[in-house]
Every structure is written in C-alpha cells, then in structure tokens.
Amino acid sequence: MKILITYFSNTGNTEKVAYSIKEGLKENEVDLIPVKDVDASKIAAYDLVLLGSGIYASRIDKSLVNLVKEAAPNLPSKFAYFCTHASLEFYQKPFYNITKILAEHGSKIVDEFDCVGDNIGIPLKTRMTMFDKLPEDKKKKALEDMEKIKGRPNKVDLDKAKRFGETLLKKV
Ligand SMILES: Cc1cc2nc3c(=O)[nH]c(=O)nc-3n(C[C@H](O)[C@H](O)[C@H](O)COP(=O)(O)O)c2cc1C
C-alpha cells in the first residue's frame, strides 16, 4: 500500500495527529507531507490518501479542497479524513465540499477520525471577551469547556489517532 497523509495545521494540533496516524501505519510506505507541498498531479499514484485539517468556522482549510479539485479527475480510489476541533461535541460536517467531489468521481471514504484540539489560534484575551458577552450559565460552560480542551490533543487523543492508523487498512 502506498499511502499519502497530507494536512493543513495552523497551530500544530492536526500535525501531531498526522504523525500519530503515521506511526500506526508503520508497516506501510507512507509519505507525510503538508498540503502546501503536495503536487496535485501526483496524488493518483497513491492507493490511499488521508486528508487532515483543523476546523475553522465549521470547515476544513480551503487548501485541501483546492488540492482535490486540482487533482480531479485523476483521483485515488480511496480516501480517509482526520481533523481536530475545539468543540467537545463534533457536530460539524467539515469535509462536505470534498465529499461531494469524491462522490462525483466514485472515490470511497474509508474512515474518519476526529479529536479535540486546544483553541490556541484564538488569543485567550479574545476568547474571554467573547465569553463575557454570553449569559452567565453559557459563560460558565464555556469556561469549563476551555479547561477540558487545554493541552489537547493529549496522549490519550494521540494514542487513539495511532490506533486509527493501525486499524485503517482493515477497512480498505
Ligand atoms: C479562526 C478559527 C476558527 C475556528 N473555528 C472552529 C469551529 O468552527 N469549530 C471548532 O470546533 N473549532 C474551531 N476552531 C478551533 C480549531 O479547530 C482547533 O483549535 C484545531 O485543533 C486547530 O487545529 P490546528 O492546530 O491544526 O490548526 C477554530 C480556530 C480558529 C483559530
């Protein structure tokens, strides 16, 4: 299996997950390349491509969508997704635009992984100003959630990412 893991990571959370997934895939030939350095004309040579991103305003970074658009119609037949997000509940459908393109070209999404990533891209002061505008009960929950996501992805998250890599090929 020739596998590409490519990702956009603004503050490094998704990058950590990418490296853990790669550890899990260790028996295979895996290229791990930031999306900005990937040549779209070369991705068809992979048996499986993993696309990863942080979530920004409920979406993945555009660079990944552009990569898939640029590579089409010469797309690999198998993809997987991974992402990190600050919300404790994963309610978003961030890969929506890519999923549409893959469906049009008959590529399959083998599996998906997500985990929490601390919101270090938004300065603490800005976050506190946002929380100050909330009703008291919502502000209390936002502060509690902020504590829960601190330092994540943590070891537990990254072990799960590694396990995702270890089990991924059974689903191909
Ligand atoms: C501008 C901005 C917008 C964000 N929007 C969302 C969002 O809509 N939903 C969410 O769960 N997290 C959101 N986050 C949090 C990031 O998705 C999270 O911290 C993620 O782990 C960042 O990944 P990275 O370090 O790989 O860039 C946002 C962060 C920033 C900086």
Side-chain angles (χ1 to χ4, degrees):
M1 267 268 170
K2 196 166 153 46
I3 301 168
L4 171 66
I5 302 176
T6 186
Y7 60 92
F8 176 87
S9 183
N10 188 33
T11 56
N13 294 337
T14 312
E15 184 170 61
K16 285 183 194 161
V17 170
Y19 275 87
S20 293
I21 294 174
K22 183 171 188 253
E23 262 185 68
L25 284 162
K26 62 173 181 280
E27 311 272 296
N28 300 275
E29 192 187 331
V30 183
D31 291 337
L32 190 153
I33 312 174
V35 64
K36 67 176 174 48
D37 298 329
V38 173
D39 179 344
S41 70
K42 301 223 168 106
I43 71 167
Y46 291 94
D47 301 304
L48 170 67
V49 172
L50 283 80
L51 303 171
S53 178
I55 303 306
Y56 316 101
S58 300
R59 288 281 176 264
I60 56 165
D61 189 72
K62 266 206 188 102
S63 54
L64 290 158
V65 185
N66 292 340
L67 172 70
V68 173
K69 274 188 185 161
E70 217 184 297
N74 297 318
L75 294 171
S77 60
K78 294 177 193 76
F79 282 81
Y81 298 152
F82 62 100
C83 69
T84 65
H85 48 85
S87 58
L88 287 162
E89 298 84 31
F90 186 44
Y91 58 88
Q92 299 148 118
K93 292 219 181 297
F95 286 89
Y96 177 77
N97 289 329
I98 289 187
T99 300
K100 269 202 309 192
I101 303 170
L102 298 187
E104 280 163 22
H105 292 85
S107 297
K108 185 181 159 196
I109 298 143
V110 177
D111 206 359
E112 298 181 41
F113 176 84
D114 76 277
C115 76
V116 169
D118 197 351
N119 206 352
I120 46 181
I122 301 181
L124 183 60
K125 206 172 161 197
T126 310
R127 280 185 274 165
M128 295 311 277
T129 308
M130 283 154 63
F131 296 165
D132 280 340
K133 291 179 186 146
L134 297 171
E136 209 45 50
D137 57 333
K138 292 220 165 84
K139 180 178 170 181
K140 185 170 173 281
K141 175 154 188 334
L143 288 168
E144 284 166 6
D145 287 356
M146 192 172 77
E147 281 307 307
K148 286 183 193 161
I149 71 170
K150 214 172 248 177
R152 292 180 72 180
N154 55 21
K155 185 170 181 324
V156 173
D157 298 316
L158 295 177
D159 282 347
K160 283 184 187 161
K162 184 177 168 190
R163 182 94 191 105
F164 170 78
E166 284 166 353
T167 55
L168 184 59
L169 296 187
K170 293 192 185 113
K171 295 171 183 163
V172 170

